[in-house]
Amino acid sequence: MFETTRSKLHETNSRRPRLVEREFDPKRLANLHNALLRHVENGHTPGLVAYVYHRGREVIDTIGTTAFEGREPMRRNTIFRLASTTKPITAVGAMVLVEECRLRLDDPVDEWLPELKNRRVLRTLESAIDDTVPAARAITVRDLLTFKSGYGEVAFISPTCAYQRAMAEARLPLSHWPFAGSNDEFMKRLGELPLAFQPGERWLYHMSGEILGVLLARVTGKTLGRFLSSRIFEPLGMKDTGFFVPREQLGRLPVCYASDLMTGQRFVIHEAGQGYAASPPPFESGAGGLVSTVDDLAAFGHMMLNGGVLGGERILSRPTIELMATDQLTDAQKAVSPFFPGFWEDHGWGFGLGVVTKRNDVGGTPGRFGWEGAFGTSWFVDPHEDMVGVMLTQRTPASLAIAPLWKDFWTSAYQLVDD
């Protein structure tokens, strides 16, 4: 269902900014709808929910169903598994503690994560797991936020190296996600492995976000979920965001599909109302474990767009948001940090989120920040255009690249701009 009634959108979430009288161009809205509909009609995904806010106007589009061969329509209140779209939210939680001076960006994390004291580092990534040298310095909070801790997905660099095999045996890399043990067990297994690279040397995906989540739990003395709920979700009215879906709401959790990276063939990884999000997890993954809705993520986006405040609730200061959305990587670090093909040509990395650095596409406004998730979610904020966008589905991309659905959503969102 294609909703363009601004009054209804505004009434259901009073924390959003006051909307202007001017509507989006109906023909442009049809372009957005049709571009997204094609991905349903061609069989890539059974359905999706999309949201765009731009300069006082907003629109939401619900398309398709919650399962292939299913009849349950995608709805505005459908709950989605976020995967890596979790990462910016955990980073905001960390910066709440930084602003309170309970954490400092350049302090070692050893006090709270003693498993990471006195690190050893592989002599080279191709070395045997015990061929190491001492770490030049301790891991800091900044290293975790910028994904330069020395831990991470080395499969992007050397998928068959001994270090990757050791990570898999410990059930730590993304190929074995989510981790099935406790925070303490996670840190114990991680602490038994050396760093792949020196702290601060280069960017590695994912693992720093998981460590960051454990750090927040230990510093606050709460579970990560309870901390994020009290400091972010409850103040912003994000009532459907958390690390699991309550039993009485499981009917809102759709089927989640994956893609075979060799053939592109789809298969079910989580049935409707089932999977890791259907019950409280033993390990609350700060890098990928949250579930949420389009309205909750829109509220989070508006908070970031508004310099840390929404509906009278201040989560962070404007300078902190600006710091988070600043590229923290040098050109030299990007050159030795493989990721998706061409990613570093127009992107950088801030604190727990990606940052557009170069106008290289219709939606490529420098300074736009946010992140995607492997289950098909995309969330970005554009301060220059005064824009928030959210696109949610439950189908992994068919290749290790920015998904065509994400590209089409953002192209279609930006073609709505008419001023």
PDB file of all heavy atoms in Angstrom, residues 1-3 9 32-33 36 47-53 58-63 74-76 80 294-295 298 378 388-393 405 409 412-413:
ATOM      1  N   MET A   1       0.849  -1.200   0.000  1.00  0.00           N
ATOM      2  CA  MET A   1       0.000   0.000   0.000  1.00  0.00           C
ATOM      3  C   MET A   1       0.875   1.236   0.000  1.00  0.00           C
ATOM      4  O   MET A   1       1.818   1.344   0.768  1.00  0.00           O
ATOM      5  CB  MET A   1      -0.915  -0.002   1.224  1.00  0.00           C
ATOM      6  CG  MET A   1      -1.846   1.198   1.281  1.00  0.00           C
ATOM      7  SD  MET A   1      -2.991   1.102   2.664  1.00  0.00           S
ATOM      8  CE  MET A   1      -1.843   1.194   4.046  1.00  0.00           C
ATOM      9  N   PHE A   2       0.541   2.165  -0.878  1.00  0.00           N
ATOM     10  CA  PHE A   2       1.342   3.372  -1.067  1.00  0.00           C
ATOM     11  C   PHE A   2       0.675   4.506  -0.312  1.00  0.00           C
ATOM     12  O   PHE A   2      -0.363   5.015  -0.719  1.00  0.00           O
ATOM     13  CB  PHE A   2       1.426   3.676  -2.562  1.00  0.00           C
ATOM     14  CG  PHE A   2       2.468   4.679  -2.919  1.00  0.00           C
ATOM     15  CD1 PHE A   2       3.650   4.768  -2.207  1.00  0.00           C
ATOM     16  CD2 PHE A   2       2.277   5.531  -3.988  1.00  0.00           C
ATOM     17  CE1 PHE A   2       4.616   5.699  -2.557  1.00  0.00           C
ATOM     18  CE2 PHE A   2       3.236   6.456  -4.349  1.00  0.00           C
ATOM     19  CZ  PHE A   2       4.402   6.535  -3.631  1.00  0.00           C
ATOM     20  N   GLU A   3       1.210   4.896   0.842  1.00  0.00           N
ATOM     21  CA  GLU A   3       0.624   5.948   1.665  1.00  0.00           C
ATOM     22  C   GLU A   3       1.282   7.289   1.353  1.00  0.00           C
ATOM     23  O   GLU A   3       2.490   7.417   1.415  1.00  0.00           O
ATOM     24  CB  GLU A   3       0.813   5.653   3.158  1.00  0.00           C
ATOM     25  CG  GLU A   3       0.065   4.440   3.649  1.00  0.00           C
ATOM     26  CD  GLU A   3       0.185   4.311   5.144  1.00  0.00           C
ATOM     27  OE1 GLU A   3       0.112   5.338   5.844  1.00  0.00           O
ATOM     28  OE2 GLU A   3       0.365   3.180   5.613  1.00  0.00           O
ATOM     29  N   LEU A   9       0.594   9.941   8.759  1.00  0.00           N
ATOM     30  CA  LEU A   9       1.970   9.626   9.153  1.00  0.00           C
ATOM     31  C   LEU A   9       2.362  10.438  10.375  1.00  0.00           C
ATOM     32  O   LEU A   9       3.003   9.938  11.291  1.00  0.00           O
ATOM     33  CB  LEU A   9       2.920   9.943   7.997  1.00  0.00           C
ATOM     34  CG  LEU A   9       2.823   9.018   6.777  1.00  0.00           C
ATOM     35  CD1 LEU A   9       3.620   9.626   5.637  1.00  0.00           C
ATOM     36  CD2 LEU A   9       3.320   7.643   7.113  1.00  0.00           C
ATOM     37  N   LEU A  32       9.162   6.039  -7.588  1.00  0.00           N
ATOM     38  CA  LEU A  32       9.673   5.331  -6.418  1.00  0.00           C
ATOM     39  C   LEU A  32       8.960   3.997  -6.248  1.00  0.00           C
ATOM     40  O   LEU A  32       9.598   2.945  -6.099  1.00  0.00           O
ATOM     41  CB  LEU A  32       9.479   6.201  -5.171  1.00  0.00           C
ATOM     42  CG  LEU A  32       9.707   5.534  -3.811  1.00  0.00           C
ATOM     43  CD1 LEU A  32      11.170   5.182  -3.622  1.00  0.00           C
ATOM     44  CD2 LEU A  32       9.217   6.441  -2.679  1.00  0.00           C
ATOM     45  N   HIS A  33       7.645   4.024  -6.281  1.00  0.00           N
ATOM     46  CA  HIS A  33       6.860   2.812  -6.085  1.00  0.00           C
ATOM     47  C   HIS A  33       7.175   1.766  -7.155  1.00  0.00           C
ATOM     48  O   HIS A  33       7.402   0.590  -6.841  1.00  0.00           O
ATOM     49  CB  HIS A  33       5.366   3.155  -6.110  1.00  0.00           C
ATOM     50  CG  HIS A  33       4.476   1.975  -5.994  1.00  0.00           C
ATOM     51  ND1 HIS A  33       4.239   1.333  -4.801  1.00  0.00           N
ATOM     52  CD2 HIS A  33       3.767   1.294  -6.946  1.00  0.00           C
ATOM     53  CE1 HIS A  33       3.418   0.311  -4.997  1.00  0.00           C
ATOM     54  NE2 HIS A  33       3.114   0.271  -6.288  1.00  0.00           N
ATOM     55  N   LEU A  36      10.611   0.020  -6.818  1.00  0.00           N
ATOM     56  CA  LEU A  36      10.634  -0.985  -5.762  1.00  0.00           C
ATOM     57  C   LEU A  36       9.759  -2.185  -6.124  1.00  0.00           C
ATOM     58  O   LEU A  36      10.120  -3.340  -5.834  1.00  0.00           O
ATOM     59  CB  LEU A  36      10.167  -0.369  -4.447  1.00  0.00           C
ATOM     60  CG  LEU A  36      11.021   0.786  -3.921  1.00  0.00           C
ATOM     61  CD1 LEU A  36      10.423   1.352  -2.642  1.00  0.00           C
ATOM     62  CD2 LEU A  36      12.461   0.347  -3.687  1.00  0.00           C
ATOM     63  N   GLY A  47       8.445  -8.950  -0.509  1.00  0.00           N
ATOM     64  CA  GLY A  47       7.844  -7.687  -0.120  1.00  0.00           C
ATOM     65  C   GLY A  47       8.812  -6.806   0.629  1.00  0.00           C
ATOM     66  O   GLY A  47       9.897  -7.250   1.027  1.00  0.00           O
ATOM     67  N   LEU A  48       8.425  -5.557   0.836  1.00  0.00           N
ATOM     68  CA  LEU A  48       9.312  -4.595   1.484  1.00  0.00           C
ATOM     69  C   LEU A  48       8.503  -3.438   2.041  1.00  0.00           C
ATOM     70  O   LEU A  48       7.331  -3.253   1.712  1.00  0.00           O
ATOM     71  CB  LEU A  48      10.364  -4.082   0.491  1.00  0.00           C
ATOM     72  CG  LEU A  48       9.855  -3.444  -0.811  1.00  0.00           C
ATOM     73  CD1 LEU A  48       9.601  -1.940  -0.637  1.00  0.00           C
ATOM     74  CD2 LEU A  48      10.832  -3.677  -1.941  1.00  0.00           C
ATOM     75  N   VAL A  49       9.142  -2.647   2.888  1.00  0.00           N
ATOM     76  CA  VAL A  49       8.581  -1.418   3.420  1.00  0.00           C
ATOM     77  C   VAL A  49       9.631  -0.323   3.242  1.00  0.00           C
ATOM     78  O   VAL A  49      10.810  -0.533   3.560  1.00  0.00           O
ATOM     79  CB  VAL A  49       8.212  -1.553   4.909  1.00  0.00           C
ATOM     80  CG1 VAL A  49       7.604  -0.249   5.430  1.00  0.00           C
ATOM     81  CG2 VAL A  49       7.239  -2.706   5.123  1.00  0.00           C
ATOM     82  N   ALA A  50       9.227   0.819   2.725  1.00  0.00           N
ATOM     83  CA  ALA A  50      10.169   1.913   2.460  1.00  0.00           C
ATOM     84  C   ALA A  50       9.631   3.221   3.018  1.00  0.00           C
ATOM     85  O   ALA A  50       8.413   3.446   3.034  1.00  0.00           O
ATOM     86  CB  ALA A  50      10.427   2.043   0.964  1.00  0.00           C
ATOM     87  N   TYR A  51      10.546   4.077   3.448  1.00  0.00           N
ATOM     88  CA  TYR A  51      10.199   5.376   4.033  1.00  0.00           C
ATOM     89  C   TYR A  51      11.175   6.422   3.526  1.00  0.00           C
ATOM     90  O   TYR A  51      12.393   6.189   3.477  1.00  0.00           O
ATOM     91  CB  TYR A  51      10.281   5.302   5.557  1.00  0.00           C
ATOM     92  CG  TYR A  51      10.219   6.646   6.258  1.00  0.00           C
ATOM     93  CD1 TYR A  51       8.992   7.230   6.573  1.00  0.00           C
ATOM     94  CD2 TYR A  51      11.380   7.330   6.617  1.00  0.00           C
ATOM     95  CE1 TYR A  51       8.927   8.459   7.222  1.00  0.00           C
ATOM     96  CE2 TYR A  51      11.323   8.558   7.271  1.00  0.00           C
ATOM     97  CZ  TYR A  51      10.100   9.120   7.566  1.00  0.00           C
ATOM     98  OH  TYR A  51      10.034  10.326   8.200  1.00  0.00           O
ATOM     99  N   VAL A  52      10.648   7.595   3.154  1.00  0.00           N
ATOM    100  CA  VAL A  52      11.486   8.737   2.767  1.00  0.00           C
ATOM    101  C   VAL A  52      10.931   9.990   3.416  1.00  0.00           C
ATOM    102  O   VAL A  52       9.728  10.280   3.325  1.00  0.00           O
ATOM    103  CB  VAL A  52      11.539   8.936   1.239  1.00  0.00           C
ATOM    104  CG1 VAL A  52      12.415  10.151   0.896  1.00  0.00           C
ATOM    105  CG2 VAL A  52      12.058   7.688   0.538  1.00  0.00           C
ATOM    106  N   TYR A  53      11.799  10.729   4.074  1.00  0.00           N
ATOM    107  CA  TYR A  53      11.498  12.073   4.576  1.00  0.00           C
ATOM    108  C   TYR A  53      12.431  13.050   3.872  1.00  0.00           C
ATOM    109  O   TYR A  53      13.630  12.803   3.759  1.00  0.00           O
ATOM    110  CB  TYR A  53      11.728  12.148   6.088  1.00  0.00           C
ATOM    111  CG  TYR A  53      11.745  13.567   6.621  1.00  0.00           C
ATOM    112  CD1 TYR A  53      10.571  14.183   7.037  1.00  0.00           C
ATOM    113  CD2 TYR A  53      12.938  14.293   6.696  1.00  0.00           C
ATOM    114  CE1 TYR A  53      10.572  15.488   7.509  1.00  0.00           C
ATOM    115  CE2 TYR A  53      12.952  15.600   7.170  1.00  0.00           C
ATOM    116  CZ  TYR A  53      11.777  16.186   7.575  1.00  0.00           C
ATOM    117  OH  TYR A  53      11.796  17.480   8.033  1.00  0.00           O
ATOM    118  N   GLU A  58       7.031  13.512   3.929  1.00  0.00           N
ATOM    119  CA  GLU A  58       7.420  12.125   4.110  1.00  0.00           C
ATOM    120  C   GLU A  58       6.405  11.209   3.441  1.00  0.00           C
ATOM    121  O   GLU A  58       5.249  11.576   3.227  1.00  0.00           O
ATOM    122  CB  GLU A  58       7.567  11.769   5.587  1.00  0.00           C
ATOM    123  CG  GLU A  58       6.330  11.937   6.417  1.00  0.00           C
ATOM    124  CD  GLU A  58       6.586  11.601   7.880  1.00  0.00           C
ATOM    125  OE1 GLU A  58       7.720  11.217   8.238  1.00  0.00           O
ATOM    126  OE2 GLU A  58       5.631  11.728   8.669  1.00  0.00           O
ATOM    127  N   VAL A  59       6.856  10.033   3.091  1.00  0.00           N
ATOM    128  CA  VAL A  59       6.019   9.044   2.441  1.00  0.00           C
ATOM    129  C   VAL A  59       6.469   7.660   2.881  1.00  0.00           C
ATOM    130  O   VAL A  59       7.650   7.448   3.187  1.00  0.00           O
ATOM    131  CB  VAL A  59       6.088   9.181   0.903  1.00  0.00           C
ATOM    132  CG1 VAL A  59       7.485   8.878   0.382  1.00  0.00           C
ATOM    133  CG2 VAL A  59       5.043   8.303   0.225  1.00  0.00           C
ATOM    134  N   ILE A  60       5.522   6.746   2.934  1.00  0.00           N
ATOM    135  CA  ILE A  60       5.833   5.360   3.248  1.00  0.00           C
ATOM    136  C   ILE A  60       5.174   4.478   2.206  1.00  0.00           C
ATOM    137  O   ILE A  60       4.078   4.778   1.723  1.00  0.00           O
ATOM    138  CB  ILE A  60       5.369   4.995   4.674  1.00  0.00           C
ATOM    139  CG1 ILE A  60       5.969   3.653   5.098  1.00  0.00           C
ATOM    140  CG2 ILE A  60       3.864   4.978   4.784  1.00  0.00           C
ATOM    141  CD1 ILE A  60       5.813   3.377   6.586  1.00  0.00           C
ATOM    142  N   ASP A  61       5.859   3.398   1.831  1.00  0.00           N
ATOM    143  CA  ASP A  61       5.343   2.484   0.817  1.00  0.00           C
ATOM    144  C   ASP A  61       5.478   1.063   1.340  1.00  0.00           C
ATOM    145  O   ASP A  61       6.568   0.657   1.758  1.00  0.00           O
ATOM    146  CB  ASP A  61       6.134   2.654  -0.489  1.00  0.00           C
ATOM    147  CG  ASP A  61       5.384   2.156  -1.710  1.00  0.00           C
ATOM    148  OD1 ASP A  61       4.286   1.591  -1.542  1.00  0.00           O
ATOM    149  OD2 ASP A  61       5.896   2.324  -2.826  1.00  0.00           O
ATOM    150  N   THR A  62       4.391   0.314   1.332  1.00  0.00           N
ATOM    151  CA  THR A  62       4.423  -1.103   1.692  1.00  0.00           C
ATOM    152  C   THR A  62       4.046  -1.908   0.462  1.00  0.00           C
ATOM    153  O   THR A  62       2.983  -1.673  -0.133  1.00  0.00           O
ATOM    154  CB  THR A  62       3.460  -1.407   2.851  1.00  0.00           C
ATOM    155  OG1 THR A  62       2.141  -0.991   2.486  1.00  0.00           O
ATOM    156  CG2 THR A  62       3.880  -0.680   4.114  1.00  0.00           C
ATOM    157  N   ILE A  63       4.895  -2.844   0.075  1.00  0.00           N
ATOM    158  CA  ILE A  63       4.720  -3.577  -1.175  1.00  0.00           C
ATOM    159  C   ILE A  63       4.870  -5.068  -0.913  1.00  0.00           C
ATOM    160  O   ILE A  63       5.787  -5.503  -0.201  1.00  0.00           O
ATOM    161  CB  ILE A  63       5.761  -3.140  -2.223  1.00  0.00           C
ATOM    162  CG1 ILE A  63       5.637  -1.642  -2.514  1.00  0.00           C
ATOM    163  CG2 ILE A  63       5.624  -3.937  -3.512  1.00  0.00           C
ATOM    164  CD1 ILE A  63       6.713  -1.109  -3.454  1.00  0.00           C
ATOM    165  N   MET A  74       2.964  -7.245   3.538  1.00  0.00           N
ATOM    166  CA  MET A  74       3.892  -6.418   4.292  1.00  0.00           C
ATOM    167  C   MET A  74       3.118  -5.241   4.863  1.00  0.00           C
ATOM    168  O   MET A  74       2.278  -4.641   4.178  1.00  0.00           O
ATOM    169  CB  MET A  74       5.023  -5.893   3.401  1.00  0.00           C
ATOM    170  CG  MET A  74       6.151  -6.868   3.167  1.00  0.00           C
ATOM    171  SD  MET A  74       7.152  -7.093   4.664  1.00  0.00           S
ATOM    172  CE  MET A  74       8.426  -8.195   4.016  1.00  0.00           C
ATOM    173  N   ARG A  75       3.394  -4.916   6.108  1.00  0.00           N
ATOM    174  CA  ARG A  75       2.680  -3.843   6.776  1.00  0.00           C
ATOM    175  C   ARG A  75       3.669  -2.845   7.369  1.00  0.00           C
ATOM    176  O   ARG A  75       4.842  -3.139   7.540  1.00  0.00           O
ATOM    177  CB  ARG A  75       1.780  -4.395   7.879  1.00  0.00           C
ATOM    178  CG  ARG A  75       0.771  -5.428   7.419  1.00  0.00           C
ATOM    179  CD  ARG A  75      -0.061  -5.929   8.576  1.00  0.00           C
ATOM    180  NE  ARG A  75      -0.876  -7.080   8.198  1.00  0.00           N
ATOM    181  CZ  ARG A  75      -2.067  -7.010   7.611  1.00  0.00           C
ATOM    182  NH1 ARG A  75      -2.580  -5.802   7.339  1.00  0.00           N
ATOM    183  NH2 ARG A  75      -2.741  -8.089   7.295  1.00  0.00           N
ATOM    184  N   ARG A  76       3.141  -1.727   7.717  1.00  0.00           N
ATOM    185  CA  ARG A  76       3.958  -0.691   8.331  1.00  0.00           C
ATOM    186  C   ARG A  76       4.560  -1.155   9.656  1.00  0.00           C
ATOM    187  O   ARG A  76       5.654  -0.731  10.033  1.00  0.00           O
ATOM    188  CB  ARG A  76       3.102   0.548   8.537  1.00  0.00           C
ATOM    189  CG  ARG A  76       3.846   1.724   9.112  1.00  0.00           C
ATOM    190  CD  ARG A  76       2.971   2.940   9.057  1.00  0.00           C
ATOM    191  NE  ARG A  76       3.617   4.063   9.695  1.00  0.00           N
ATOM    192  CZ  ARG A  76       3.145   5.289   9.651  1.00  0.00           C
ATOM    193  NH1 ARG A  76       2.037   5.540   8.997  1.00  0.00           N
ATOM    194  NH2 ARG A  76       3.789   6.272  10.257  1.00  0.00           N
ATOM    195  N   PHE A  80      11.469  -6.329  11.341  1.00  0.00           N
ATOM    196  CA  PHE A  80      12.540  -6.848  10.491  1.00  0.00           C
ATOM    197  C   PHE A  80      13.800  -7.144  11.306  1.00  0.00           C
ATOM    198  O   PHE A  80      14.138  -6.404  12.238  1.00  0.00           O
ATOM    199  CB  PHE A  80      12.886  -5.840   9.393  1.00  0.00           C
ATOM    200  CG  PHE A  80      11.784  -5.617   8.410  1.00  0.00           C
ATOM    201  CD1 PHE A  80      10.776  -4.694   8.670  1.00  0.00           C
ATOM    202  CD2 PHE A  80      11.743  -6.324   7.218  1.00  0.00           C
ATOM    203  CE1 PHE A  80       9.751  -4.483   7.764  1.00  0.00           C
ATOM    204  CE2 PHE A  80      10.714  -6.117   6.304  1.00  0.00           C
ATOM    205  CZ  PHE A  80       9.718  -5.196   6.580  1.00  0.00           C
ATOM    206  N   VAL A 294       9.936   0.158  10.501  1.00  0.00           N
ATOM    207  CA  VAL A 294      10.222   1.357   9.721  1.00  0.00           C
ATOM    208  C   VAL A 294      10.009   2.619  10.555  1.00  0.00           C
ATOM    209  O   VAL A 294      10.789   3.572  10.461  1.00  0.00           O
ATOM    210  CB  VAL A 294       9.374   1.376   8.427  1.00  0.00           C
ATOM    211  CG1 VAL A 294       7.899   1.571   8.713  1.00  0.00           C
ATOM    212  CG2 VAL A 294       9.882   2.443   7.461  1.00  0.00           C
ATOM    213  N   ASP A 295       8.977   2.644  11.396  1.00  0.00           N
ATOM    214  CA  ASP A 295       8.736   3.841  12.202  1.00  0.00           C
ATOM    215  C   ASP A 295       9.830   4.038  13.247  1.00  0.00           C
ATOM    216  O   ASP A 295      10.252   5.173  13.508  1.00  0.00           O
ATOM    217  CB  ASP A 295       7.369   3.758  12.882  1.00  0.00           C
ATOM    218  CG  ASP A 295       6.242   4.175  11.960  1.00  0.00           C
ATOM    219  OD1 ASP A 295       6.255   5.328  11.497  1.00  0.00           O
ATOM    220  OD2 ASP A 295       5.354   3.356  11.695  1.00  0.00           O
ATOM    221  N   ALA A 298      12.896   5.286  11.465  1.00  0.00           N
ATOM    222  CA  ALA A 298      12.688   6.674  11.055  1.00  0.00           C
ATOM    223  C   ALA A 298      12.911   7.611  12.234  1.00  0.00           C
ATOM    224  O   ALA A 298      13.552   8.665  12.103  1.00  0.00           O
ATOM    225  CB  ALA A 298      11.278   6.855  10.490  1.00  0.00           C
ATOM    226  N   SER A 378      18.289  -1.118   4.860  1.00  0.00           N
ATOM    227  CA  SER A 378      19.120   0.039   4.517  1.00  0.00           C
ATOM    228  C   SER A 378      18.580   1.262   5.240  1.00  0.00           C
ATOM    229  O   SER A 378      17.380   1.542   5.207  1.00  0.00           O
ATOM    230  CB  SER A 378      19.100   0.275   3.002  1.00  0.00           C
ATOM    231  OG  SER A 378      19.963   1.337   2.634  1.00  0.00           O
ATOM    232  N   VAL A 388      15.873  11.619   5.485  1.00  0.00           N
ATOM    233  CA  VAL A 388      16.013  10.332   6.157  1.00  0.00           C
ATOM    234  C   VAL A 388      15.377   9.287   5.256  1.00  0.00           C
ATOM    235  O   VAL A 388      14.275   9.504   4.729  1.00  0.00           O
ATOM    236  CB  VAL A 388      15.316  10.312   7.534  1.00  0.00           C
ATOM    237  CG1 VAL A 388      15.407   8.921   8.162  1.00  0.00           C
ATOM    238  CG2 VAL A 388      15.917  11.353   8.458  1.00  0.00           C
ATOM    239  N   GLY A 389      16.054   8.166   5.067  1.00  0.00           N
ATOM    240  CA  GLY A 389      15.486   7.079   4.272  1.00  0.00           C
ATOM    241  C   GLY A 389      15.665   5.742   4.954  1.00  0.00           C
ATOM    242  O   GLY A 389      16.698   5.491   5.591  1.00  0.00           O
ATOM    243  N   VAL A 390      14.654   4.891   4.836  1.00  0.00           N
ATOM    244  CA  VAL A 390      14.695   3.543   5.395  1.00  0.00           C
ATOM    245  C   VAL A 390      14.067   2.599   4.381  1.00  0.00           C
ATOM    246  O   VAL A 390      12.983   2.872   3.856  1.00  0.00           O
ATOM    247  CB  VAL A 390      13.898   3.444   6.715  1.00  0.00           C
ATOM    248  CG1 VAL A 390      14.027   2.044   7.313  1.00  0.00           C
ATOM    249  CG2 VAL A 390      14.334   4.506   7.711  1.00  0.00           C
ATOM    250  N   MET A 391      14.745   1.496   4.067  1.00  0.00           N
ATOM    251  CA  MET A 391      14.185   0.479   3.193  1.00  0.00           C
ATOM    252  C   MET A 391      14.420  -0.876   3.858  1.00  0.00           C
ATOM    253  O   MET A 391      15.557  -1.226   4.179  1.00  0.00           O
ATOM    254  CB  MET A 391      14.838   0.525   1.814  1.00  0.00           C
ATOM    255  CG  MET A 391      14.024  -0.124   0.692  1.00  0.00           C
ATOM    256  SD  MET A 391      13.904  -1.917   0.807  1.00  0.00           S
ATOM    257  CE  MET A 391      15.632  -2.383   0.767  1.00  0.00           C
ATOM    258  N   LEU A 392      13.336  -1.638   4.080  1.00  0.00           N
ATOM    259  CA  LEU A 392      13.416  -2.876   4.839  1.00  0.00           C
ATOM    260  C   LEU A 392      12.805  -4.035   4.070  1.00  0.00           C
ATOM    261  O   LEU A 392      11.663  -3.963   3.601  1.00  0.00           O
ATOM    262  CB  LEU A 392      12.677  -2.722   6.175  1.00  0.00           C
ATOM    263  CG  LEU A 392      13.134  -1.580   7.084  1.00  0.00           C
ATOM    264  CD1 LEU A 392      12.206  -1.445   8.279  1.00  0.00           C
ATOM    265  CD2 LEU A 392      14.564  -1.811   7.545  1.00  0.00           C
ATOM    266  N   THR A 393      13.576  -5.100   3.939  1.00  0.00           N
ATOM    267  CA  THR A 393      13.068  -6.364   3.419  1.00  0.00           C
ATOM    268  C   THR A 393      13.813  -7.472   4.151  1.00  0.00           C
ATOM    269  O   THR A 393      14.586  -7.199   5.072  1.00  0.00           O
ATOM    270  CB  THR A 393      13.237  -6.447   1.890  1.00  0.00           C
ATOM    271  OG1 THR A 393      12.548  -7.600   1.397  1.00  0.00           O
ATOM    272  CG2 THR A 393      14.699  -6.526   1.480  1.00  0.00           C
ATOM    273  N   LEU A 405      18.607  -3.573  -5.196  1.00  0.00           N
ATOM    274  CA  LEU A 405      17.417  -3.022  -4.546  1.00  0.00           C
ATOM    275  C   LEU A 405      17.771  -1.780  -3.741  1.00  0.00           C
ATOM    276  O   LEU A 405      17.037  -0.779  -3.767  1.00  0.00           O
ATOM    277  CB  LEU A 405      16.783  -4.081  -3.646  1.00  0.00           C
ATOM    278  CG  LEU A 405      15.611  -3.628  -2.767  1.00  0.00           C
ATOM    279  CD1 LEU A 405      14.510  -2.976  -3.603  1.00  0.00           C
ATOM    280  CD2 LEU A 405      15.064  -4.795  -1.959  1.00  0.00           C
ATOM    281  N   PHE A 409      16.376   1.961  -4.532  1.00  0.00           N
ATOM    282  CA  PHE A 409      15.641   2.721  -3.520  1.00  0.00           C
ATOM    283  C   PHE A 409      16.238   4.103  -3.358  1.00  0.00           C
ATOM    284  O   PHE A 409      15.509   5.113  -3.352  1.00  0.00           O
ATOM    285  CB  PHE A 409      15.648   1.995  -2.179  1.00  0.00           C
ATOM    286  CG  PHE A 409      15.168   2.855  -1.041  1.00  0.00           C
ATOM    287  CD1 PHE A 409      13.849   3.288  -0.994  1.00  0.00           C
ATOM    288  CD2 PHE A 409      16.033   3.269  -0.042  1.00  0.00           C
ATOM    289  CE1 PHE A 409      13.392   4.103   0.045  1.00  0.00           C
ATOM    290  CE2 PHE A 409      15.598   4.079   1.002  1.00  0.00           C
ATOM    291  CZ  PHE A 409      14.271   4.497   1.041  1.00  0.00           C
ATOM    292  N   SER A 412      15.684   6.343  -6.345  1.00  0.00           N
ATOM    293  CA  SER A 412      14.287   6.759  -6.386  1.00  0.00           C
ATOM    294  C   SER A 412      13.960   7.761  -5.282  1.00  0.00           C
ATOM    295  O   SER A 412      13.135   8.662  -5.477  1.00  0.00           O
ATOM    296  CB  SER A 412      13.377   5.533  -6.254  1.00  0.00           C
ATOM    297  OG  SER A 412      13.601   4.625  -7.310  1.00  0.00           O
ATOM    298  N   ALA A 413      14.595   7.612  -4.122  1.00  0.00           N
ATOM    299  CA  ALA A 413      14.375   8.579  -3.038  1.00  0.00           C
ATOM    300  C   ALA A 413      14.880   9.950  -3.432  1.00  0.00           C
ATOM    301  O   ALA A 413      14.207  10.980  -3.205  1.00  0.00           O
ATOM    302  CB  ALA A 413      15.071   8.092  -1.776  1.00  0.00           C
TER     303      ALA A 413
END
